[in-house]
Amino acid sequence: MKQIVSLRDLEEMVRNGKDPGALSDDVLLTPSARDFLRDLDNAKNSKPSNDGSVSLSRPDKPVTSKSSKAELDAFFNSARVQELKNQLCDIGRRLWQRAYVDGNGRNMAIRVGDDLALCTPTLVSKGFMKPEDMCIVDLDGNQFCGSKKRTSEILMHLQIMKRQPRAVATVHCHPPYSTGFAVAGVQPPTCMIPEFEVFSSVAIAPYRTPGTPEMGKLVADLVDKHNTILMANHGVVAWSHNNLEDAYFKMEIIEAYCRTVLVSSQLGKTPNTMTAPQLQDLLKIKQSLGIPDPRFGLKECELCDNEGWRPGVTCGVSTSGNGVQNMAPDLDAESLVQAITDQIMARGI
């Protein structure tokens, strides 16, 4: 008696990494199984893109959340998406080894289509993920592929991608030094280290319960001009317009910078900072790389305003029409000097 193969049988084969096309010719396929194989064959003829995102689809029918289950499963098990799954596992191990994550928390996502993202699962340590643990969701968080449940904080990643179409990948974790700044609600100072100025643009988002749409919205509101967001009393999330590894690099940069700032603040000396023209040179490099920064176009006297970090330090530079910079007078200081001088003169000293 010939073997009867149903749609459910074929879906199980795909989930287990087996090729349904290897079935013998003498099996009997149900009508839905026959349609599944046809869709699967069409999806295999799709092509990957080379722009940092993924588009394994026929030119006239991209893989989207509206694609058939067979097409989505084939896409999920394709060589290109398998490579991205491996990248998620690799970055997860790096985060775990550097103690940027703890327990089974934190998460990552990669945009793989106009309305699809590949993301990490919930309740799995980032140091011990396997490729088959990953999930595919649409930009509303609905899961289409993956045997494990997607991360509970995916909505934040998806809201970043919705607000910032250039966001190819996102990484969220809890590196201790930069998370310390987030818990204290302190904006890291600027004008100290070139790599930080070129590759990072940092803002602080107010606290909301992790995993809620409110948290995602507050973060998404900042991503047009910032690629690294400190989430108050929570952690850090970074996005990249290049790839997942670049988003991870943002974490290494912010964490090393915050650690350096804390060390320098304990040395009993006011840290040296760059001049405004020196920072302008770095911002030009940053802009050429397509990295956002709210300081583009600011006056030089506004570039290194660290008043929140060093209380009492204010911008005292003004620019005259001929481009010469002059220091504005400190009227309180002048009055104090004059009062002391008058007292000395009155005593005949």
Side-chain angles (χ1 to χ4, degrees), residues 107-172:
N107 26 75
M108 297 173 279
I110 306 173
R111 188 193 294 268
V112 292
D114 289 341
D115 68 343
L116 293 174
L118 182 72
C119 71
T120 51
T122 190
L123 300 178
V124 178
S125 167
K126 299 305 159 290
F128 300 92
M129 295 186 300
K130 299 183 291 295
E132 56 267 28
D133 294 335
M134 305 309 160
C135 316
I136 279 186
V137 298
D138 66 14
L139 295 190
D140 291 320
N142 300 304
Q143 184 168 340
F144 292 92
C145 301
S147 58
K148 293 187 182 297
K149 187 178 179 181
R150 50 83 165 166
T151 171
S152 60
E153 290 188 294
I154 188 59
L155 295 181
M156 175 182 65
H157 298 260
L158 300 175
Q159 285 175 276
I160 291 174
M161 292 178 180
K162 284 181 178 180
R163 182 67 63 87
Q164 178 51 264
R166 296 175 63 234
V168 169
T170 50
V171 173
H172 164 49

Side-chain angles (χ1 to χ4, degrees), residues 27 32 76 101 115 175 213 227 271 289 314 342 348:
V27 300
S32 57
F76 184 62
V101 294
D115 68 343
N227 62 14
L289 296 174
T314 58
D342 290 343

Side-chain angles (χ1 to χ4, degrees), residues 191 273-280 303-304:
C191 301
T273 58
M274 304 166 190
T275 65
Q278 289 171 336
L279 182 59
Q280 283 281 26
L303 291 176
C304 292

Side-chain angles (χ1 to χ4, degrees), residues 72-92:
L72 286 165
D73 283 343
F75 178 69
F76 184 62
N77 290 285
S78 65
R80 177 58 177 155
V81 174
Q82 184 69 22
E83 178 186 339
L84 296 177
K85 294 175 186 177
N86 290 334
Q87 288 180 21
L88 287 166
C89 292
D90 175 53
I91 298 300

Side-chain angles (χ1 to χ4, degrees), residues 19 24 57 73 115 123 128 144 156 169 183 231 239 272 284 286 290 295 309 317 323 330 340:
D19 181 11
S24 61
S57 59
D73 283 343
D115 68 343
L123 300 178
F128 300 92
F144 292 92
M156 175 182 65
V183 171
M231 295 177 285
W239 67 268
N272 296 322
K284 289 176 183 177
K286 189 174 202 169
R295 295 171 296 177
W309 177 253
V317 180
D330 188 331
I340 294 173

